Amino acid sequence: MTELVVVSGKGGTGKTSLVGSLAALSENKVMVDCDVDAADLHLILNNRVQKTIEFIGGKGASIVNEKCTNCGICLDYCRFDAIKHESHTENGGEERYWIDKHACEGCAVCVRNCPEQAIDFNEIVSGEWYLSDTPYGPLVHARLGIAQANSGKLVSVLRKQALLLAEQRELDLILIDGPPGIGCPVIASITGTGYVLVVTEPSMSAMHDMERLLQLTAHFGIPTGICINKCDINPELSSQIEEKARKLNLPVHGRIRHDEAVTRAQLNQKSVVENGDSPAARDIRALWEGVKNAIS
Amino acid sequence: MKIAIASGKGGTGKTTIATNMAVAIAREGRDVTYIDCDVEEPNGHIFLKPKIREQYDATVLVPHVDLNKCTLCGDCSAACEFNAIAVLGKTVEVFPSICHSCGGCSDVCPENAIVDIPRTIGHISHGDGMGVQFYEGRLNVGEAISPPVTKALRRLDTDSEVLIIDAPPGTSCPVIEAISGTDYVILVTEPTPFGLNDLKLAVGMVQEIGLPHGVVINRSDIGDGKTEEFCHRQNLDILMTIPFERRVAEAYSRGEMMSDVNSEYERRFWELYCSIAEKVSS
């Protein structure tokens, strides 16, 4: 069984559209949407949610006003500027301390140092994850609560579930749609996978971002291949990407032409390869043949 | 005036709008600073081509254990909510990449055997390009936790009249760190199902933290009318619509400004700024 993850560094290069097509082209697999703060894959997979599970991302502190004596010790201890103070002169109300839940990282330092034990420390539901059925196989996806942290932890939960499903149902492939960037959720999405497919496009920005991502996959020693999307927007830069790949000894599995058919498919809530014939659909089919060989 | 440019979905045009607006403001003779808070993948430098004048490290504090003082009692690891410190055999292991720098371990250590030492996780560059003051944060490759770099950027003392903050994509902690404390958030989207789904999440985010906001619809003619419908239904201001132009996409790919191919855009971005300034001051 192989875990194939599609990432890009830069957002909007076409990861999800590509994964949707790979979901249609590949067999015997489970899909995972690891872009947990902006998950879109389900929009083109015609999913039906079978199971919804709360995600406990961590803990958070909150001040119990009845017990608080406004001593302000917590304020001195917090390194995240999460303790807020309102003196009674402001807005005419009573003096009070409270915790900005978006700034609180759940370290419990204030909880331990409060002389009145006036700070509660409870688990926080910071999102939910779903198990869906789709015509292409099971889909594991999630929705991180708005303005929540711990996206990396949620990604790990999703991957564990997908692995479990793959074992139970004897599936051959775990197809992962990754998040943009190179930080926490990306690291959680790619560590321990069998193959990273980087979707880039011929722009200075996307190339810059791809190079940082390639450093990351090299750092973790994961086999990596490249796909150039919208390759005809700047043929010269597309050649430069190929040159770069040659130097790094990385395969370029495909070049997908810029094609309005990609947006049309999305509007029809379908993958590109299932929305009639188009240059992009043909390019993606050719790409999958290359990737299939690379991961088998 | 602090204006953040954000979006749920990546690749909708945040950096394009942030840099073009910054340059349009500068060309009106205003003092403007652009801050690239997409520290995982900063791209603003590609367009503003700044001359970098200073650079410094972005650091976080991590524990250092003095094993001569340490009695291996394990209080530090019991206090750590992030499993970033552990007593293993006759030593204490620190896992810096998952440490949140809360100071909990050094606080509870009964032997005062733990001190905080700085660890570099990225760097900040400062310079200027195209008449715009330029700051960029850049997370080192392999580092997981980006918000401290953003926090360092946002704490900078800049006395510019206008701050333009280019946020990372998404709706989670790195974005919150970038946009908090700003006067206005521009949410950039495109009129596609993915763009709309992520716009809804981004609107939820700015409403949750209570910041004034409006929408710019980029490539406004590629999809359908559902994004505009959503904006009207939710009473969201549509600040600007930008139709798709292949020559603009090609110029973008080369790292050029929109006004380089279509001079009308300089005026349009200045007007975008003016409309926001008016909303904020009223």
Side-chain angles (χ1 to χ4, degrees):
Chain A
M1 190 237 310
T2 314
E3 283 181 281
L4 168 66
V5 54
V6 179
V7 281
S8 64
K10 179 169 159 46
T13 59
K15 287 182 294 299
T16 303
S17 291
L18 180 61
V19 171
S21 286
L22 298 188
L25 294 172
S26 60
E27 282 166 7
N28 208 24
K29 77 274 156 180
V30 49
M31 283 76 66
V32 193
D33 191 346
C34 286
D35 189 1
V36 294
D37 52 316
D40 291 330
L41 183 59
H42 63 282
L43 298 174
I44 49 170
L45 291 185
N46 191 17
N47 73 310
R48 289 169 82 142
V49 175
Q50 302 295 319
K51 220 164 107 180
T52 302
I53 298 104
E54 276 185 350
F55 167 62
I56 310 287
K59 290 179 164 182
S62 55
I63 293 175
V64 183
N65 283 328
E66 297 75 44
K67 292 190 194 167
C68 176
T69 59
N70 294 326
C71 70
I73 288 174
C74 52
L75 187 79
D76 296 333
Y77 274 98
C78 180
R79 290 198 183 169
F80 306 105
D81 301 327
I83 315 273
K84 303 293 171 193
H85 177 225
E86 203 170 61
S87 65
H88 64 277
T89 49
E90 290 168 34
N91 75 28
E94 299 233 319
E95 180 184 14
R96 69 182 187 115
Y97 285 83
W98 79 95
I99 291 170
D100 175 354
K101 61 178 178 173
H102 301 308
C104 175
E105 296 199 10
C107 69
V109 170
C110 61
V111 179
R112 262 197 310 277
N113 285 291
C114 173
E116 311 297 331
Q117 276 100 52
I119 305 180
D120 280 349
F121 195 54
N122 294 315
E123 284 184 335
I124 296 173
V125 176
S126 41
E128 49 190 25
W129 62 269
Y130 318 96
L131 185 57
S132 280
D133 275 346
T134 79
Y136 316 93
L139 166 70
V140 187
H141 53 128
R143 182 166 180 169
L144 188 69
I146 278 167
Q148 291 288 344
N150 286 310
S151 54
K153 207 167 166 181
L154 182 51
V155 165
S156 301
V157 169
L158 297 186
R159 283 188 55 200
K160 214 157 127 189
Q161 284 306 316
L163 208 59
L164 214 65
L165 263 176
E167 277 164 8
Q168 283 167 358
R169 304 191 190 178
E170 294 182 359
L171 304 174
D172 302 320
L173 176 67
I174 299 178
L175 181 57
I176 303 171
D177 189 5
I182 58 162
C184 161
V186 174
I187 292 174
S189 298
I190 68 170
T191 41
T193 58
Y195 202 81
V196 175
L197 179 62
V198 174
V199 185
T200 189
E201 56 185 34
S203 70
M204 304 274 286
S205 301
M207 283 174 72
H208 167 271
D209 296 354
M210 173 189 78
E211 288 191 24
R212 280 166 65 78
L213 182 59
L214 293 178
Q215 287 169 28
L216 188 72
T217 63
H219 174 83
F220 286 110
I222 310 168
T224 302
I226 293 168
C227 154
I228 309 174
N229 197 6
K230 305 173 194 157
C231 60
D232 47 345
I233 284 282
N234 189 329
E236 195 189 317
L237 286 183
S238 284
S239 308
Q240 281 183 31
I241 294 169
E242 296 193 17
E243 183 57 33
K244 175 95 198 157
R246 242 194 316 276
K247 276 192 188 142
L248 293 169
N249 215 1
L250 301 174
V252 174
H253 291 302
R255 294 146 201 87
I256 304 169
R257 284 164 281 182
H258 179 253
D259 189 346
E260 287 171 10
V262 176
T263 305
R264 278 203 304 274
Q266 204 189 106
L267 291 168
N268 288 339
Q269 297 168 18
K270 279 183 177 167
S271 70
V272 179
V273 293
E274 288 180 303
N275 196 45
D277 185 43
S278 66
R282 271 170 268 150
D283 293 343
I284 292 171
R285 284 175 194 279
L287 165 95
W288 172 238
E289 290 306 314
V291 175
K292 204 161 65 180
N293 288 331
I295 62 174
S296 62
Chain B
M1 165 94 66
K2 297 173 188 164
I3 302 170
I5 300 43
S7 74
K9 180 167 157 38
T12 54
K14 284 180 295 302
T15 300
T16 301
I17 283 152
T19 53
N20 277 279
M21 189 164 75
V23 169
I25 297 166
R27 287 191 181 151
E28 291 288 325
R30 305 297 179 94
D31 181 11
V32 54
T33 296
Y34 165 90
I35 305 180
D36 198 340
C37 286
D38 187 358
V39 304
E40 292 179 36
E41 296 289 25
N43 289 151
H45 66 103
I46 291 168
F47 300 91
L48 293 176
K49 302 173 179 65
K51 192 171 204 143
I52 299 301
R53 303 190 185 281
E54 56 176 340
Q55 227 170 27
Y56 40 96
D57 290 342
T59 60
V60 291
L61 294 173
V62 291
H64 172 78
V65 183
D66 182 348
L67 287 172
N68 294 320
K69 290 187 186 169
C70 175
T71 61
L72 304 171
C73 72
D75 283 3
C76 53
S77 107
C80 181
E81 289 291 327
F82 312 107
N83 303 316
I85 188 164
V87 179
L88 295 171
K90 291 219 174 324
T91 186
V92 180
E93 200 78 50
V94 175
F95 306 102
S97 63
I98 54 172
C99 173
H100 284 233
S101 309
C102 69
C105 53
S106 54
D107 177 42
V108 298
C109 178
E111 313 297 331
N112 289 321
I114 304 179
V115 289
D116 289 323
I117 54 167
R119 186 174 82 90
T120 301
I121 60 163
H123 58 266
I124 287 170
S125 306
H126 173 214
D128 50 79
M130 300 190 179
V132 176
Q133 288 278 326
F134 173 90
Y135 285 93
E136 172 201 272
R138 189 170 278 256
L139 184 72
N140 287 348
V141 173
E143 292 292 344
I145 301 176
S146 65
V149 181
T150 312
K151 194 173 264 185
L153 273 173
R154 293 295 320 276
R155 277 185 180 157
L156 290 167
D157 268 332
T158 46
D159 45 16
S160 277
E161 189 182 341
V162 188
L163 286 191
I164 304 289
I165 290 156
D166 197 353
T171 59
S172 64
C173 43
V175 186
I176 307 300
E177 198 67 61
I179 68 173
S180 60
T182 57
D183 301 303
Y184 197 90
V185 183
I186 300 175
L187 299 172
V188 188
T189 190
E190 54 183 39
T192 60
F194 294 173
L196 177 56
N197 186 48
D198 298 349
L199 173 67
K200 289 176 183 168
L201 298 169
V203 169
M205 170 186 71
V206 288
Q207 287 177 346
E208 165 83 23
I209 52 176
L211 294 172
H213 52 277
V215 178
V216 169
I217 306 178
N218 197 7
R219 302 179 199 109
S220 53
D221 49 351
I222 66 164
D224 59 15
K226 288 187 177 149
T227 302
E228 270 194 56
E229 277 169 36
F230 169 77
C231 291
H232 293 316
R233 244 190 351 260
Q234 300 287 317
N235 270 325
L236 296 169
D237 289 328
I238 297 175
L239 305 163
M240 185 177 182
T241 56
I242 304 170
F244 178 79
E245 273 186 86
R246 190 168 170 120
R247 61 183 179 144
V248 170
E250 287 169 359
Y252 168 85
S253 78
R254 296 186 297 264
E256 293 168 10
M257 306 297 289
M258 285 177 80
S259 53
D260 292 343
V261 281
N262 185 342
S263 58
E264 197 198 322
Y265 276 110
E266 195 175 310
R267 178 184 57 79
R268 290 198 68 196
F269 280 106
W270 169 247
E271 285 169 2
L272 173 65
Y273 167 72
C274 292
S275 71
I276 293 167
E278 203 171 300
K279 286 176 204 296
V280 171
S281 60
S282 69

